[in-house]
Amino acid sequence: MKEALERIRLAEEQNKEAERAMIDELDHYQIEKQQALQAIQTQQKNQRKEIIQQLERELLAKENDLQNRLLAEATESQMKDEARYQQQKDQMIAQIINEMRENYGC
């Protein structure tokens, strides 16, 4: 009987030791997985940051291209308007001179 009680006590101690070992192993596993998850989250955050920065660079480049194109178009349009104005001015001056010659015989 004494021997049976001793075996039961030893078995209970082994069970408690196995339980502590399993809890320690689970804690270690949980910490390991949390660190892995944190690493993945950090990596994804960095990737999102890089993607956003790349998109910002592309949008700025497109905006600059559009601005340059619009400036070129505005400059071209202004030059055409000035040329038309000069042409009409010259025509008006010529017309006035012709009318003066016709009216006053100069």
Side-chain angles (χ1 to χ4, degrees):
M1 183 79 168
K2 195 175 184 182
E3 191 177 313
L5 288 174
E6 184 64 24
R7 285 184 184 173
I8 291 172
R9 187 184 63 77
L10 286 175
E12 285 177 355
E13 284 181 16
Q14 288 175 348
N15 285 344
K16 284 183 182 180
E17 191 175 317
E19 182 183 9
R20 281 191 294 267
M22 189 166 44
I23 289 172
D24 288 345
E25 187 178 330
L26 285 173
D27 287 344
H28 178 71
Y29 180 77
Q30 182 180 8
I31 290 169
E32 183 181 303
K33 291 303 174 185
Q34 284 176 341
Q35 289 172 345
L37 177 61
Q38 188 174 8
I40 290 170
Q41 288 173 336
T42 301
Q43 180 185 14
Q44 288 177 341
K45 182 179 177 182
N46 291 336
Q47 287 175 342
R48 284 191 301 269
K49 196 176 190 179
E50 289 174 15
I51 290 170
I52 289 170
Q53 289 173 346
Q54 178 64 29
L55 287 173
E56 285 176 348
R57 285 191 297 270
E58 289 174 6
L59 288 173
L60 283 174
K62 287 181 181 180
E63 181 181 19
N64 287 337
D65 289 346
L66 178 60
Q67 183 180 13
N68 291 337
R69 193 171 74 237
L70 290 174
L71 284 172
E73 288 175 6
T75 302
E76 182 181 344
S77 177
Q78 185 176 3
M79 290 173 62
K80 286 179 182 178
D81 289 345
E82 287 177 9
R84 264 195 302 263
Y85 170 78
Q86 189 64 39
Q87 182 183 7
Q88 289 176 353
K89 179 180 152 188
D90 292 343
Q91 286 175 352
M92 289 291 271
I93 290 172
Q95 184 179 357
I96 290 171
I97 291 173
N98 286 337
E99 287 178 9
M100 294 291 284
R101 285 183 182 158
E102 288 176 6
N103 290 337
Y104 299 109
C106 300

